[in-house]
Amino acid sequence: MNVPPGSGRLVLAATPLGEIGDASPRLSEALRSADVIAAEDTRRLRNLCAALGVEPAGRVVSFYDQNEVGRLPGLVEAVRGGERVVLVTDAGMPSVSDPGYRLVAACVAEDLPVTCLPGPSAVTTALAVSGLPCERFCFEGFPPRKSGERRRWFTQLASEQRTAVFFEAPHRLAACLADAAEVLGDDRLAAVCRELTKTYEEIRRGSLAELAEWAAEGVRGEVTVVLAGVSADQDEVEVTALVEVVEERVRGGARLKDATAAVAASTGVSRKALYDAVLLARKS
């Protein structure tokens, strides 16, 4: 295919979370006309194209976590040479906890055009149906797999006033929610969104303790968790929850005052209140 140099671009194309009817006409046209389609799973891409009645004209290459770095030079060269490279992942928006970020960064570094076909996103879909405040929110990706690391991860969210959204594997959900309840409190509100837009879509809302008990019975499918932030009048609880974060820095070699200052600056709590809380915890 002869493509004029300078006309190439990288296109990030959002794909349906489950309901094929959510695919846009622009997605169909992009898959049909792309010079190159980089797909997280080529089998899923073929199924998607079949469902949309699309026959790709360009070449298809795999692009997933394990081969992402190796594929970068060839895909960047394709864009540089004038080809239209369409990137799709298994579901939702590429680069959001999926392959894509490195390719975008590589194209941006060379001042090559990058654009996006907007569409389904598990993050904003879960946020919208959670019933929790959504005027301000943060996305946290996946929690750590190990319980100790995961608890420290939740400790960093202890003073977060924004609603937090994160993904979790179904087989780790119960343990994850139990850790969250232990660190953030049994009563912290959350929502677990399972199989969004699919036949067996399920939205469970309640406290972390209630959701952990429910998840212990077993959960299947793609999972997105929405976690309520703390209210502004919970400063005392926030400070107490951050004591372990300070102590973790101290165990790593930092001086207590420096560790306290750093944690206070990153979370917005009072440095003095946090310092006093650490000293009180050491005495108890």
Side-chain angles (χ1 to χ4, degrees), residues 246 249-250 253-260:
V246 173
R249 285 176 176 260
V250 171
R255 295 191 310 165
L256 176 57
K257 287 188 176 181
D258 293 338
T260 302

Side-chain angles (χ1 to χ4, degrees), residues 1 196 233:
M1 184 178 296
L196 286 169
D233 60 356

Side-chain angles (χ1 to χ4, degrees), residues 1 4 16-17 29 47-48 50 54 62-63 74 76 83 90 114 125 139 165 203 216-217 232 234 251 253 262 266 275:
M1 184 178 296
L17 302 177
E29 179 55 30
N47 291 338
L48 174 63
V54 169
S62 61
F63 188 78
V76 172
E83 293 187 299
D90 291 346
V114 178
T125 302
F139 175 60
V165 185
I203 315 296
E217 299 176 4
Q234 286 186 278
R251 287 192 289 270
S266 65
Y275 184 81

Side-chain angles (χ1 to χ4, degrees), residues 142-145 150 153-154 166-181 190-195 202-204 207-227:
F142 279 90
R145 297 186 177 191
R150 192 163 55 223
W153 186 81
F154 279 121
F166 61 89
F167 298 148
E168 184 55 293
H171 63 280
R172 289 195 296 269
L173 180 63
C176 177
L177 293 173
D179 284 343
V192 175
C193 306
R194 188 181 70 84
E195 294 290 86
E202 181 178 17
I203 315 296
R204 301 285 299 205
S207 69
L208 284 173
E210 292 168 339
L211 293 171
E213 183 179 358
W214 162 76
E217 299 176 4
V219 176
R220 294 183 179 180
E222 300 289 333
V223 173
T224 305
V225 180
V226 185
L227 176 68

Side-chain angles (χ1 to χ4, degrees), residues 242-253:
L242 290 170
V243 167
E244 178 56 28
V245 180
V246 173
E247 293 289 20
E248 184 70 21
R249 285 176 176 260
V250 171
R251 287 192 289 270

